[in-house]
Amino acid sequence: MRPAAAIFDLDGVLADSAVMHYAAWKRLADDLGIAFDEAANEALKGVDRMGSLRLLLALGNRVASQTEMEAMADAKNAHFVEMVGRATPANLLPGAERLLADARAADLMLAVASASRNAPVLLARLGIADRFDFIADAGAVLHPKPAPDIFLACADALGVEPARCLGFEDAAAGIEAIRAAQMFAVGIGDPQALSRAHLIYPSTAAVDLGMVLARSTIAQH
Ligand code: G6P
Ligand code: MG
């Protein structure tokens, strides 16, 4: 069946904000004296704020109370919000606008499935908020990625069967979420980290939507 919708993750797929999340976590990790680098950050990608903090604390073998954890998460978010506040359309990843235009030209409905509660502000600063038929509210989703909830919420809002949705993700947790939703998973980034994707491209600019449509139409996912 031909795809009818394209559902995009935001950080690291449409915007270069994955590096902002990393920078914000790195600053918190440095403050806490926890060794943290880009390789360790792979596991945090796509994971919601408290889930990411739990992974970071586990890396440093730290235990913290709920109150301490809330303060840490607030500190990380303050670093991130400061960076998002300075974001402009220049923070769109190369190829992002073309991919959205190609998807629209292919008669696909468009949605954003971001785990970030800052997604609406970032989309507005990037100038692309009005390009989507639906933007999922991360705060309204019960189970975070890798659960399928946020992708299923998009399919539901668009009125499209999950099997006719394409999901685009740069995070392993996101690819799992797309697969759990029974959608066609397009990975953007490292082939090893995203090995569960149906198709993988090294960057957003490298995505060939014509090929994605052809492959997803014949694939049994
Ligand atoms: C996205 C990012 C994650 C981030 C999560 C929550 O999924 O890939 O790195 O932790 O959103 O973002 P938030 O802005 O709500 O802290
Ligand atoms: Mg992402």
Side-chain angles (χ1 to χ4, degrees), residues 9 11-12 169-171:
D9 173 47
D11 302 311
E169 264 288 352
D170 70 318

Side-chain angles (χ1 to χ4, degrees), residues 11 21 44-49 52 76 80 115-118:
D11 302 311
H21 279 291
L44 274 61
K45 281 189 184 169
V47 177
D48 70 356
R49 199 178 307 165
S52 295
K76 182 270 175 179
F80 183 74
S116 174
R117 288 162 196 249
N118 293 296

Side-chain angles (χ1 to χ4, degrees), residues 47-69:
V47 177
D48 70 356
R49 199 178 307 165
M50 286 315 262
S52 295
L53 177 60
R54 278 191 282 274
L55 290 172
L56 183 70
L57 291 173
L59 273 174
N61 284 316
R62 298 293 179 84
V63 183
S65 70
Q66 188 61 29
T67 313
E68 288 167 330
M69 283 177 65

Side-chain angles (χ1 to χ4, degrees), residues 49-136:
R49 199 178 307 165
M50 286 315 262
S52 295
L53 177 60
R54 278 191 282 274
L55 290 172
L56 183 70
L57 291 173
L59 273 174
N61 284 316
R62 298 293 179 84
V63 183
S65 70
Q66 188 61 29
T67 313
E68 288 167 330
M69 283 177 65
E70 274 159 25
M72 290 172 191
D74 286 351
K76 182 270 175 179
N77 193 49
H79 300 326
F80 183 74
V81 165
E82 196 186 308
M83 287 182 268
V84 166
R86 291 194 301 265
T88 70
N91 291 97
L92 281 166
L93 284 169
E97 294 225 74
R98 181 189 52 86
L99 180 56
L100 294 176
D102 286 355
R104 195 55 95 182
D107 275 339
L108 299 177
M109 298 192 85
L110 309 183
V112 172
S114 170
S116 174
R117 288 162 196 249
N118 293 296
V121 177
L122 179 55
L123 286 165
R125 296 219 44 103
L126 296 168
I128 58 168
D130 59 357
R131 304 279 289 271
F132 301 95
D133 300 296
F134 184 69
I135 295 166

